[in-house]
Amino acid sequence: MRDVFPIKYYSKEGFIERKIEINEEDLQEIIEEYLMSHMDFDFDEVEIVNNRPINIWLHAKCRTYVDPDDEKISDAEVEIKGDYDGNPLAGF
């Protein structure tokens, strides 16, 4: 996993957004951990099978809602003053 920069502060919406890129190597661990935590049966091993021969590129958009006077805003590298466009790859 890696951060996708820049970290943005959406002042009109009141949140800071970080994007995390999740690649195929991360999926095995993420799915295995999820299944162990949420399934009501026991298992010893998980094998993740991708039946489609394509690369998997996922982005997790992590938001932190902040008070405009909060110091956490300084974590952001860019301030967006307009409406949130929802595009996970904007500015990439």
Side-chain angles (χ1 to χ4, degrees), residues 3-9 16-18 75-79:
D3 283 331
V4 177
F5 294 101
I7 298 169
K8 297 177 182 177
Y9 169 55
I16 295 172
E17 181 177 81
R18 297 175 185 266
D75 291 347
E77 298 166 339
V78 176
E79 180 177 353

Side-chain angles (χ1 to χ4, degrees), residues 1-4 20-23 25-27 29-30 60:
M1 283 188 253
R2 71 178 183 93
D3 283 331
V4 177
I20 309 296
E21 182 180 275
I22 302 169
N23 58 36
E25 293 81 32
D26 302 319
L27 288 179
E29 185 176 342
I30 291 168

